[in-house]
Amino acid sequence: MRADRLELVRQVPGFMPAEEGLALHEAGLEAAALGPLLEIGSWCGTSAVYLGDAAEQVGSVLFCVDHHRGSEENQAGWEHHDPSLVDSRTGRIDTLPRFRHTIEDAGLEATVVAVVGESTVVAGHWQTRLGMVFIDGGHGRHPAHADYEAWAPLVVAGGLLAIHDVFEDPSEGGRPPYEIWCRAVASESFEPLDEAGCGSLRLLRRAGTGC
Ligand code: MG
């Protein structure tokens, strides 16, 4: 991972500790050889820099799917609200300008492609199979399960599914990311790569070989 990009992500508001970002980067390097990378939930672009650096090294691309309006927990009055990300014109959260600055500053505009919209709407029209899907979108029950159902089937055989904010212990965080991790582990389609994972990041490999 380029040193200037590591330095950059330290300045960007986000929810991705460096060790988890580097584990994601490592996974992205391997998966990008099989197909494009795609993340759901980009916020201001921290994980997009980690995964984008990996995609660039392999000559692939990263699609970043986000409506940029923030999840439930980012809205005013909630735990993860950041007033500096509110659009003064409308009073709504808009993280797209900050995301674009991050990708521009990282020098990743040729590799990182923003797809602005609801992830399930995008998935409903998506044809390209993916080397890796990283789920880090809405953490509520409905969005987390909907993202898993919409995107996990698009991972190629041998490709990777990554899920963020998986907490076995309910006192550490919300349930839905853990629930979709359990669904993936229980499915015949995915094998967990490492039960321990890195922090709250969990990785699984899609079963089978070839596409
Ligand atoms: Mg997260």
Side-chain angles (χ1 to χ4, degrees), residues 156-179:
V156 295
L160 300 177
L161 174 66
I163 305 172
H164 198 222
D165 302 306
V166 173
F167 299 105
E168 282 81 3
D169 180 351
S171 70
E172 291 181 55
R175 293 281 80 191
Y178 174 71
E179 290 167 9

Side-chain angles (χ1 to χ4, degrees), residues 63-80:
F63 295 105
C64 295
V65 180
D66 197 317
H67 47 53
H68 289 282
R69 297 302 187 186
S71 303
E72 191 180 45
E73 60 272 19
N74 307 124
Q75 305 306 318
W78 288 69
E79 185 185 356
H80 295 294

Side-chain angles (χ1 to χ4, degrees), residues 15-16 136 139 164-165:
F15 312 99
M16 172 68 60
D136 193 20
H139 289 36
H164 198 222
D165 302 306

Side-chain angles (χ1 to χ4, degrees), residues 61-103:
V61 292
L62 167 69
F63 295 105
C64 295
V65 180
D66 197 317
H67 47 53
H68 289 282
R69 297 302 187 186
S71 303
E72 191 180 45
E73 60 272 19
N74 307 124
Q75 305 306 318
W78 288 69
E79 185 185 356
H80 295 294
H81 182 62
D82 180 347
S84 74
L85 297 169
V86 171
D87 179 349
S88 59
R89 192 180 66 93
T90 59
R92 300 175 72 197
I93 286 181
D94 183 4
T95 54
L96 183 57
R98 187 61 201 256
F99 174 85
R100 296 204 77 188
H101 292 165
T102 301
I103 299 311

Side-chain angles (χ1 to χ4, degrees), residues 26-197:
E26 194 74 21
L29 277 177
E30 182 201 314
L34 297 174
L37 311 180
L38 184 142
E39 70 169 15
I40 302 120
S42 298
W43 194 238
C44 298
T46 310
S47 53
V49 173
Y50 288 108
L51 284 174
D53 184 278
E56 182 189 67
Q57 284 189 43
V58 183
S60 189
V61 292
L62 167 69
F63 295 105
C64 295
V65 180
D66 197 317
H67 47 53
H68 289 282
R69 297 302 187 186
S71 303
E72 191 180 45
E73 60 272 19
N74 307 124
Q75 305 306 318
W78 288 69
E79 185 185 356
H80 295 294
H81 182 62
D82 180 347
S84 74
L85 297 169
V86 171
D87 179 349
S88 59
R89 192 180 66 93
T90 59
R92 300 175 72 197
I93 286 181
D94 183 4
T95 54
L96 183 57
R98 187 61 201 256
F99 174 85
R100 296 204 77 188
H101 292 165
T102 301
I103 299 311
E104 181 180 19
D105 293 348
L108 281 167
E109 288 182 302
T111 301
V112 175
V113 180
V115 181
V116 182
E118 282 286 345
S119 90
T120 50
V121 173
V122 177
H125 298 272
W126 193 271
Q127 299 283 335
T128 305
R129 305 268 278 165
L130 299 159
M132 178 179 189
V133 166
F134 173 48
I135 299 179
D136 193 20
H139 289 36
R141 187 177 174 82
H142 177 74
H145 283 269
D147 284 341
Y148 172 73
E149 288 161 17
W151 291 102
L154 291 160
V155 177
V156 295
L160 300 177
L161 174 66
I163 305 172
H164 198 222
D165 302 306
V166 173
F167 299 105
E168 282 81 3
D169 180 351
S171 70
E172 291 181 55
R175 293 281 80 191
Y178 174 71
E179 290 167 9
I180 62 171
W181 154 254
C182 290
R183 284 181 71 179
V185 170
S187 82
E188 288 178 4
S189 300
F190 290 97
E191 280 292 322
L193 270 190
D194 179 354
E195 288 283 4

